[in-house]
Structure formats: structure tokens, C-alpha cells
Amino acid sequence: MKLILLGAPGAGKGTQAEILSREYQIPSISTGNILRAAMKNGTPVGLQAKAYVEAGKLVPDDVIIGIIEERLAQPDCANGYILDGVPRTIPQAEAMEAKGIDIDWALSIEVEDQVIVDRMAGRRTCKNCSQTFHIVSNPPKQEDICDFCGGELGIRKDDAPETVLGRLQVYHRETEPLKTFYAQRGKLKTVDNQPSIEATTAAIRAALEN
């Protein structure tokens, strides 16, 4: 199973990617995480990316796609993978196709903007390991303490309402057109927002199996 998860920031892609990764026993690949890992490990493409980041510039598409290619060539991706955070734009999707990076489904989690703004306000992120929690739907066992590494949890600047609204505008302008891109290829599945993480997982499972 080769999946791309689509959805606005805060739609729950990362949470669902982790759950689906365990269920289907395929790796969940977050662009941000593999970008940091490639830079840390000093891979050829990682060093290219690092030069852009250190210069305060956006990492260009060809470098991002190169890092994805590097990651997908690893043995744990042989039976499939879940991509979270890439492609973000139609040019990225076209570049992936040109490189022969194939997918079975692009799965879009549909959540209204206001629901996302309210949801992000409750998100807490570990300052050490970047694991995310939510004070209502996925609270840590101990308030403001990460379950995984014991680090301190806090609100990221990215999750503040005014920042979220800006990120949603970018999503609607640059990433949402991917739904049409994959629909034209017969590869789009959509799942409406559900009242809980478990209900969303069940809806995704049903969509993938139909």
C-alpha cells in the first residue's frame, strides 16, 4: 500500500499516518523528519538541503524529491509507505511522477477551517522530540509532560490562531489543487472529519478497503 495523506495543517494527518503505519506495517514518512535526518546524517542530498536552510532559503523541489527518493529506496519501503507532507504542490507531484515515485491512493482528510483553528489551539508539542498531543482528543498522561521522552510540552508559534489562518490560506492556494490532480488519475479518496481519532481511522480503513 503506497499512500499520500492530504489535508489542511491540523487535519490529523500525522496522527493517522502513525496509526496506519502500525496497522499496515509500512513506514510513515514525514517530509520534515526525513529532511532533518538527511541533513543530520550528511547524505549528499541532505548536505544540499542544509546549505539552503542555513542560508535561510526554502529547500527547492528537486532537493525535496531527491530526499524522498533516498528514503523510499530503503528496504523498509519495499512493501509500501505513507507520505505525510509531500507533495505540497502540483509541481512536486509532477516531479514525483517523473521520477517514477508511484502511489496507490491519495487520501484527503476533510476538515473545515474553523474546526482546525479550534483544534490547533489545543495542540501541545514536545520541545525535545517534537511528539504532538492534544489537550482534549489525545492528552499526555501527565499534564505538559511528553509520554515518550519526558520533555516539556508547549504551544508552537505555528499553532497560534493567526498563524493557523495564514497556513490554511497557503494550503487552499497551493496544496488543495492536488485533490483534483489525483482525482483526474482515479487515485483520490476522501474522508470527512470524524468526532474522534478512532472514528477517523475507521473511516480511512473503510475508504481504503472499498
Side-chain angles (χ1 to χ4, degrees):
M1 170 102 52
K2 297 171 183 173
L3 276 184
I4 287 171
L5 287 188
L6 298 175
K13 299 185 299 297
T15 300
Q16 293 301 328
E18 284 181 24
I19 294 167
L20 295 170
S21 170
R22 288 194 297 271
E23 284 201 8
Y24 290 99
Q25 301 208 315
I26 52 176
S28 164
I29 297 168
S30 151
T31 322
N33 289 349
I34 62 168
L35 189 59
R36 284 188 288 273
M39 291 193 292
K40 185 180 173 187
N41 296 334
T43 70
V45 193
L47 292 172
Q48 274 185 288
K50 193 173 184 180
Y52 285 100
V53 170
E54 288 179 348
K57 297 176 181 174
L58 283 176
V59 180
D61 284 356
D62 60 331
V63 178
I64 295 280
I65 303 305
I67 283 173
I68 295 291
E69 262 196 306
E70 265 184 0
R71 179 67 186 86
L72 297 185
Q74 293 178 18
D76 64 338
C77 292
N79 295 322
Y81 44 79
I82 301 163
L83 291 175
D84 169 17
V86 70
R88 281 186 190 276
T89 61
I90 285 178
Q92 282 187 359
E94 290 171 340
M96 284 170 60
E97 279 191 349
K99 292 277 191 180
I101 297 172
D102 192 27
I103 62 149
D104 297 315
W105 299 110
L107 185 98
S108 178
I109 303 173
E110 305 287 315
V111 186
E112 290 175 13
D113 285 5
Q114 190 55 52
V115 172
I116 283 178
V117 173
D118 295 343
R119 182 184 288 178
M120 297 288 261
R123 185 187 269 189
R124 300 291 181 269
T125 303
C126 177
K127 294 177 181 177
N128 290 346
C129 73
S130 301
Q131 190 71 34
T132 56
F133 299 85
H134 193 279
I135 56 175
V136 177
S137 62
N138 183 30
K141 293 187 180 80
Q142 191 177 341
E143 192 176 348
D144 293 334
I145 302 292
C146 177
D147 292 356
F148 295 87
C149 75
E152 182 189 351
L153 302 181
I155 300 173
R156 292 190 318 164
K157 187 181 164 199
D158 275 4
D159 295 337
E162 60 277 12
T163 312
V164 173
L165 287 168
R167 291 170 71 200
L168 285 168
Q169 284 181 336
V170 172
Y171 166 76
H172 291 307
R173 184 175 68 245
E174 296 183 2
T175 306
E176 199 164 31
L178 285 168
K179 293 197 301 192
T180 304
F181 179 89
Y182 287 113
Q184 288 167 346
R185 286 154 176 75
K187 292 189 172 185
L188 180 73
K189 288 185 182 276
T190 59
V191 170
D192 288 332
N193 185 34
Q194 303 293 321
S196 69
I197 290 171
E198 293 76 15
T200 304
T201 305
I204 288 172
R205 202 183 294 121
L208 293 175
E209 289 167 4
N210 286 339

